[in-house]
Each structure stands twice: as C-alpha cells, then as structure tokens.
Amino acid sequence: MRIGELADRAGTTTRTLRYYESRGLLPARRGGNGYRTYDEEDLRALRQIRTLQDFGFDLEETRPFVECLRAGHPEGDSCPASLAVYRNKLSELDALIGELTAVRKKVGAQLERAEQAMDALATEESEPPRCELTPSEE
C-alpha cells in the first residue's frame, strides 16, 4: 500500500509517517515507481506505536515494541526489551502518583485550614471581610 492509504488506515498523517521513517520506526521501502510502499506489518507496527503513545509513552520508548514485531513476534511486548520499557514506565507512573498524592494532601490541608478560618470568622460578631469574588448584595 502507498503512504496515503497507510496513513488513512492508521488514523494518522503522511507527515507523521515520514517522521517515523526518518526515526527508523518505519522502513524506507520504495517501489519501482519511486513511491513509498508499506504492508500489513507496517500497519501493525503503527498501531502499536499509536497505542503506546496514547498510554503516554514517548516515541523512542516504542522502538523495542516495533523491533519485537519486526523480529516476527506475535505481539510487540513479547520481548525482554519491551518488558523493560513497561517496567520503567510503571516506575515513572508510580513516582508521579506519589508526587500527586503529596500535592493532594497539601491542598486538602489548605482547604481544611481555610474552611476553619471562615467558620471562625462567621461565628464572630463583626461582619467578616468580603471576598473580591463574592457578588455584592445590592
């Protein structure tokens, strides 16, 4: 198949395919007429790349999966190098989850402090200061 058909079937653009070719993720085969030619295996590799990128993998992290497919394995993640990429990505995700959990705790503590401060102001006899964002009562 030609580049336009591959792009359509993969849900991407010809520009993206040329970029993948320049990065060595797609073969640079040419037919007798000089046009790029692709096959079903190339489509399979592209789908693998797209799936991984949807999961947050960067383009270079997809390389072991593509190479695994090109080596004839039924799945792109059935090679040791692919498994190593999965492990690294899980470690990155765990670290991000830890960071987000810590930030969430801090924001929750700030919210609790602010709510307690507002409750304390509301119980005082004097009128609490108005927030700039509170609509005026006229």
Side-chain angles (χ1 to χ4, degrees):
M1 79 186 87
R2 293 197 14 209
I3 193 167
E5 181 183 350
L6 180 64
D8 287 343
R9 289 183 63 191
T12 191
T13 65
T14 57
R15 182 178 180 177
T16 298
L17 298 182
R18 285 187 208 97
Y19 178 68
Y20 290 171
E21 183 181 303
S22 75
R23 299 289 306 268
L25 292 168
L26 276 179
R29 292 186 305 264
R30 302 250 179 196
N33 56 8
Y35 292 133
R36 290 173 170 87
T37 60
Y38 301 96
D39 58 24
E40 292 299 318
E41 291 302 310
D42 298 320
L43 178 60
R44 200 163 150 231
L46 268 176
R47 287 182 174 150
Q48 177 79 76
I49 291 168
R50 300 281 305 216
T51 297
L52 292 168
Q53 287 192 307
D54 288 347
F55 292 159
F57 289 71
D58 67 37
L59 190 58
E60 195 54 38
E61 289 172 319
T62 69
R63 186 175 301 281
F65 297 85
V66 172
E67 290 172 355
C68 189
L69 287 172
R70 288 236 157 31
H73 293 271
E75 301 293 331
D77 59 5
S78 58
C79 295
S82 303
L83 298 178
V85 173
Y86 274 154
R87 285 185 195 98
N88 288 340
K89 184 56 74 177
L90 282 176
S91 292
E92 288 175 22
L93 291 170
D94 287 341
L96 288 172
I97 290 168
E99 291 172 22
L100 289 172
T101 300
V103 169
R104 187 184 191 293
K105 285 180 184 178
K106 290 176 184 176
V107 171
Q110 286 295 100
L111 173 62
E112 186 177 337
R113 182 206 49 79
E115 287 174 337
Q116 289 173 355
M118 286 199 51
D119 289 345
L121 284 174
T123 59
E124 291 179 6
E125 289 185 29
S126 65
E127 188 174 318
R130 291 184 40 81
C131 285
E132 292 178 21
L133 301 177
T134 304
S136 61
E137 297 175 29
E138 293 177 14

